[in-house]
Amino acid sequence: MESRLHLPPERIARARELASRIVAPVQEFIDAHTTVTVERATLRLAGADGADADGVPVPNLVVDQVRDRLEEGALRFWVNALVRTGDDVAGLSRRVAGGFRLDGIPLADPVSLEAKAAELVSAASMRVRGNRRRREELLARYAGKNHSPLLYVIVATGNIHEDVKQARAAASQGADVVAVIRTTAQSLLDYVPFGATTEGFGGTYATQENFRIMRAALDEEVERLGRYVHLTNYASGLCMPEIAVMGALERLDMMLNDSMYGILFRDINMYRTFVDQKFSRMVNAWAGVVINTGEDNYLTTSDAVEKAYTVLASQFLNERFAEVAGLEPWQMGLGHAFEMDPALPDGFLLEVAQALMAREIFPEAPLKYMPPTKFMTGDVFRGVVQNALFNFASKLTGQGIHLLGMLTEAIHTPFMQDRYLALENAKYVMGSMASLGDEITFRPDGVVVRRANQVLEEAVAFLEKVEGTGLMDAIATGLFADVKRPRDGGKGLDGLRKKGEGYWNPFETHLTRELGLGGGR
Amino acid sequence: MTTPVRPYGDTLDDGAVQLSFTLPVPFGPRGREAARLLVEKLGFRHAEVVHSAPLAEGFSFYVAYGRTDVSVDFEAVRVEEATGEQVYTMDEACAVIREKLGRKLVVVGACTGFDAHTVGIDAIMNMKGYNHHYGLERYSEVEAHNLGAQVPNERLIDYAVSVNADAILVSQIVTQKDVHIRNLTELIELLEAKGLRERFVVCAGGTRIGNKLAVELGYDAGFGPGTYADHVATFVIERLVERAATRA
């Protein structure tokens, strides 16, 4: 498609080159390290599951037992115990939950360890490949039934069983994507709770059982409605890789997953996040999951006009971090948001310019477009109009994943009728002007074209600066999102380990090979 | 003298009210009649369901109008806002601080507990402010410290002590299951336990927090929707001036 915004290809290429240079040194650091949650994610892939009487998950129990030897990889101890005890994974999980220790068992010979590990890798692979195939079959069977962009709603009752009712209702009203919001505290927990949950604030816990319950309910809706319904959760916070694994095992379709969000907006340590996001993205890549990145957050904290370039710069970085983790362009739901002040003259033109700019720069990515939130006031009537304009901009510029704005944003978590009204709004607006985007060309010297070119130039200049400083120091000195995050600050640093010479992680090796990535061990 | 007021549609005292709601019953004539009866039972005359739609299996949506005879006596209405009619602009606030305090006003703000939504505290504190009302960071006579999200109450207090703050601002956006009440109460209890309650002007803010609730919880004031940095600054300045006067 020719550029309607007259964006110079060499400047886009320059931004990509800068992103690649910015990410490279971080990638070297990542490949030399592991974390407690990468190890726990690996154990989950190898079948470790359940929790002890105090609710401590089995993967945590194992990692805590071998905390001083994590540089070797926690999997060795798990596999060794399977070989030595003759237990299956469920049996060993129960035994560990009962207090059994894995760290004192003499190591079996390397050949039997490798053989056992190969068996576990193969079992996980079968399940994840099976999930991926099932999704592809369903999408093929119901091709053309989803909206474009995909209409995305959230459920956030704080009780998984109530969430199921809301999700079924939303699906029957036309939602293509349902995201189950997590409880607000979960991103800072260094474990993933076990089992179905009926509590939480602003959402309930992401647990594997909750994933399974929601997937089963939505699959029934898929059959009933003759339309695929995508399920989304959050591979973010201190357990990014583990949640990615749970999503892979239970066939989630999308994961909120950003390379820097945890650092900037949750004050999680940067080393920890960089290592965690890589493994989580490898798992997402393998499972055919579409990631949704969190650039909208830059605009809820800073001004959407002044800081538009930070969104584009972050998209380039997220793209590069995704690429080196094996994600294909169709899996990169790069984020942005419709957050300009409604009182700004020509604000809508600027929104269209930026949305179309993202579309042209990332032609294959299913861009994730976030609705107005910052200027939603409680005036539900104006809110409907703001959302209608957002819907208009999204369809006009060919976005991929469209999170529906709620008229009651800033008042309460959505009522069932709020979601219905949002879906009706989107279906009306997007249907009524479906082909308008194809009819429009923009004046080469007009507001829209000039704005898009300006933001691109500002993003390139910003990336030049970050490249000069180095990404980690750029974050430490507050170049992103107006916050300073020191290298050694933030949560979760004590869970970081340098990989030893003998680090053993056959799952990582398998993923590296499957995804055609260089490096790794 | 009493002044009864009723909702106004297009004629004084017509009492016209617009309603929308969901019923957990299937869409159809029975649901519609149930909705109308519900509106009547709420005390409305001329109850009329003007729109209904199926929402999902077993759920239906209604838009209704009705007229009410209920009124309130406007003369008798009293509000408990933190600030009165007079709210300082940024420049006025800075002038009053210079004149009456003779030093910078130190304000520490945070979004506490597990709440990760900084939109409220940012609206009050960030340079940029919100809706064309500059935030406290822009005030030349205010030293503003915004600690961001998910700050434990303990840390907030320690920080306020360390910078010798005049005022502590707490934002709470997440209100599900009244988590904000617990969080806000804990801060006051901690301050009291440490004997620090009187040392600071303590204010709460958020989408579901009003002055009345905040005062009930032991705060000096509360700031809900539609309030800006101007209101917070005005209140804090007036309270400090008041305290200085009583101590003098």
Side-chain angles (χ1 to χ4, degrees):
Chain A
M1 192 177 70
E2 69 172 304
S3 170
R4 285 187 286 171
L5 295 173
H6 310 282
L7 298 170
E10 66 280 5
R11 299 304 284 164
I12 299 173
R14 173 66 182 154
R16 287 216 160 83
E17 181 200 334
L18 286 164
S20 159
R21 282 208 237 151
I22 290 165
V23 166
V26 180
Q27 209 52 53
E28 270 177 43
F29 178 91
I30 292 169
D31 290 335
H33 290 80
T34 183
T35 70
V36 284
T37 181
V38 168
E39 295 305 310
R40 296 192 302 251
T42 305
L43 289 164
R44 284 177 185 276
L45 283 169
D49 198 11
D52 73 6
D54 297 325
V56 182
V58 167
N60 286 69
L61 292 169
V62 175
V63 164
D64 289 347
Q65 285 184 19
V66 301
R67 220 177 163 84
D68 298 335
R69 295 175 67 182
L70 278 185
E71 69 279 1
E72 300 171 43
L75 191 74
R76 187 192 306 277
F77 302 94
W78 176 256
V79 172
N80 184 54
L82 287 170
V83 171
R84 290 290 191 182
T85 60
D87 281 352
D88 61 7
V89 291
L92 185 59
S93 289
R94 276 195 300 274
R95 212 194 271 260
V96 170
F100 179 70
R101 292 198 68 94
L102 312 168
D103 51 339
I105 311 173
L107 281 186
D109 66 287
V111 177
S112 44
L113 293 183
E114 289 290 352
K116 190 73 196 173
E119 202 182 290
L120 297 171
V121 168
S122 158
S125 229
M126 284 249 297
R127 178 154 169 188
V128 172
R129 264 209 307 269
N131 283 342
R132 198 169 166 159
R133 205 178 311 119
R134 176 91 197 278
R135 179 193 301 119
E136 281 159 8
E137 280 167 11
L138 289 168
L139 282 169
R141 188 186 310 163
Y142 302 122
K145 301 292 185 190
N146 284 115
H147 300 94
S148 172
L150 295 172
L151 302 181
Y152 177 127
V153 299
I154 62 173
V155 296
T157 68
N159 176 328
I160 189 61
H161 305 295
E162 212 59 43
D163 280 345
V164 162
K165 289 182 206 162
Q166 300 277 329
R168 282 181 187 273
S172 71
Q173 290 159 11
D176 302 294
V177 186
V178 172
V180 182
I181 304 301
R182 299 191 299 180
T183 177
T184 178
Q186 189 166 0
S187 57
L188 301 182
L189 297 181
D190 215 337
Y191 65 93
V192 180
F194 177 74
T197 65
T198 56
E199 58 183 20
F201 302 110
T204 193
Y205 293 93
T207 72
Q208 193 170 336
E209 179 61 9
N210 287 348
F211 286 7
R212 194 194 60 73
I213 290 169
M214 187 58 87
R215 177 77 273 168
L218 289 182
D219 277 353
E220 285 178 22
E221 295 300 320
V222 170
E223 297 300 330
R224 199 170 70 85
L225 301 166
R227 166 165 46 82
Y228 194 66
V229 185
H230 301 74
L231 176 57
T232 304
N233 211 290
Y234 291 65
S236 61
L238 281 169
C239 296
M240 293 174 102
E242 288 178 271
I243 292 175
V245 165
M246 290 155 39
L249 295 175
E250 302 299 340
R251 188 164 45 84
L252 268 70
D253 307 291
M254 293 186 190
M255 282 285 181
L256 273 76
N257 185 269
D258 192 282
S259 54
M260 301 196 293
Y261 169 81
I263 306 167
L264 299 171
F265 301 103
R266 285 290 185 274
D267 195 16
I268 294 173
N269 176 262
M270 67 168 83
Y271 298 127
R272 169 76 181 257
T273 291
F274 283 131
V275 175
D276 288 349
Q277 62 85 31
K278 168 81 186 289
F279 196 75
S280 71
R281 285 180 170 198
M282 286 169 70
V283 173
N284 285 331
W286 181 49
V289 163
V290 172
I291 62 163
N292 292 189
T293 60
E295 281 82 1
D296 52 297
N297 292 285
Y298 291 97
L299 303 184
T300 47
T301 46
S302 303
D303 183 77
V305 178
E306 284 169 22
K307 293 299 172 89
Y309 69 88
T310 61
V311 169
L312 180 57
S314 172
Q315 288 170 333
F316 278 118
L317 294 175
N318 259 317
E319 177 190 49
R320 183 59 187 161
F321 273 117
E323 199 169 54
V324 296
L327 286 156
E328 305 274 345
W330 64 268
Q331 293 177 290
M332 301 178 192
L334 300 173
H336 61 134
F338 189 92
E339 287 283 22
M340 284 179 200
D341 185 343
L344 181 72
D346 282 340
F348 184 74
L349 277 68
L350 306 189
E351 296 282 17
V352 166
Q354 288 167 209
L356 192 57
M357 174 193 72
R359 181 69 288 157
E360 290 195 353
I361 293 176
F362 306 99
E364 293 172 69
L367 301 173
K368 163 87 173 289
Y369 204 14
M370 299 290 281
T373 60
K374 190 174 174 179
F375 292 96
M376 293 294 278
T377 53
D379 177 352
V380 294
F381 304 99
R382 191 182 81 158
V384 170
V385 180
Q386 287 170 272
N387 287 330
L389 284 178
F390 165 63
N391 294 339
F392 189 93
S394 185
K395 186 68 181 176
L396 187 74
T397 58
Q399 303 299 305
I401 304 163
H402 180 84
L403 197 150
L404 286 170
M406 294 292 133
L407 79 164
T408 52
E409 177 75 40
I411 304 173
H412 50 61
T413 49
F415 285 176
M416 189 186 275
Q417 67 194 42
D418 301 343
R419 250 181 246 110
Y420 161 79
L421 292 167
L423 281 157
E424 290 298 303
N425 183 336
K427 285 190 279 189
Y428 162 49
V429 171
M430 292 182 180
S432 179
M433 44 74 65
S435 308
L436 184 60
D438 303 332
E439 299 282 325
I440 292 183
T441 52
F442 294 96
R443 298 167 52 129
D445 60 344
V447 175
V448 171
V449 168
R450 275 187 287 127
R451 173 64 182 172
N453 279 272
Q454 177 205 345
V455 175
L456 174 59
E457 275 315 307
E458 287 173 2
V460 172
F462 178 70
L463 288 168
E464 301 267 9
K465 199 158 139 191
V466 173
E467 200 249 344
T469 317
L471 183 57
M472 293 197 189
D473 287 331
I475 293 170
T477 52
L479 286 188
F480 288 92
D482 301 323
V483 291
K484 294 177 186 176
R485 301 297 189 199
R487 283 171 177 256
D488 293 329
K491 303 166 189 88
L493 177 59
D494 62 347
L496 180 82
R497 291 289 183 286
K498 198 165 168 43
K499 286 178 184 170
E501 274 307 309
Y503 180 74
W504 190 64
N505 190 336
F507 282 93
E508 189 186 43
T509 310
H510 176 75
L511 286 180
T512 304
R513 200 172 45 232
E514 283 275 300
L515 298 169
L517 304 175
R521 287 176 206 223
Chain B
M1 195 186 78
T2 62
T3 318
V5 289
R6 290 186 185 84
Y8 180 100
D10 63 359
T11 306
L12 190 65
D13 285 336
D14 60 16
V17 170
Q18 180 186 46
L19 299 147
S20 63
F21 53 88
T22 297
L23 292 180
V25 301
F27 169 72
R30 267 182 85 198
R32 208 177 158 92
E33 179 60 8
R36 195 190 64 80
L37 289 171
L38 187 86
V39 176
E40 267 188 1
K41 276 196 154 182
L42 285 168
F44 292 99
R45 292 179 289 111
H46 301 294
E48 201 183 349
V49 174
V50 297
H51 176 71
S52 65
L55 273 193
E57 216 174 291
F59 291 93
S60 42
F61 173 62
Y62 303 90
V63 179
Y65 284 85
R67 293 171 180 238
T68 180
D69 291 326
V70 175
S71 64
V72 296
D73 177 8
F74 193 65
E75 287 306 313
V77 174
R78 295 286 170 267
V79 290
E80 296 174 45
E81 290 297 319
T83 49
E85 303 288 312
Q86 151 99 40
V87 177
Y88 298 134
T89 65
M90 179 172 79
D91 292 339
E92 287 166 357
C94 290
V96 177
I97 295 170
R98 270 192 300 270
E99 184 193 327
K100 301 220 166 140
L101 294 179
R103 60 173 174 81
K104 282 203 179 190
L105 180 71
V106 182
V107 179
V108 175
C111 185
T112 56
F114 285 115
D115 198 339
H117 299 78
T118 59
V119 58
I121 195 71
D122 287 346
I124 301 300
M125 300 199 71
N126 274 9
M127 191 70 82
K128 175 88 186 172
Y130 183 77
N131 207 7
H132 310 285
H133 294 258
Y134 290 135
L136 297 176
E137 286 173 3
R138 175 93 59 159
Y139 286 53
S140 57
E141 299 304 318
V142 174
E143 184 185 317
H145 303 259
N146 185 353
L147 305 189
Q150 301 190 330
V151 178
N153 281 321
E154 286 274 4
R155 209 184 117 215
L156 175 60
I157 296 172
D158 291 347
Y159 191 92
V161 171
S162 74
V163 297
N164 204 11
D166 295 296
I168 297 177
L169 311 181
V170 186
S171 170
Q172 291 279 286
I173 304 290
V174 174
T175 57
Q176 208 170 27
K177 295 172 189 164
D178 284 339
V179 65
H180 62 306
I181 306 282
R182 265 179 276 158
N183 242 332
L184 290 170
T185 307
E186 188 195 76
L187 177 68
I188 294 297
E189 283 171 355
L190 280 169
L191 283 168
E192 280 170 353
K194 291 169 189 277
L196 293 170
R197 176 63 190 88
E198 294 310 312
R199 181 159 160 193
F200 306 108
V201 176
V202 192
C203 303
T207 44
R208 303 287 286 277
I209 290 166
N211 189 52
K212 189 160 178 277
L213 172 68
V215 170
E216 275 168 18
L217 296 175
Y219 285 72
D220 289 280
F223 297 89
T227 50
Y228 303 103
D230 327 359
H231 299 92
V232 177
T234 301
F235 176 82
V236 171
I237 293 166
E238 286 181 345
R239 181 56 59 100
L240 285 173
V241 170
E242 211 173 274
R243 280 190 187 177
T246 45
R247 275 171 206 169

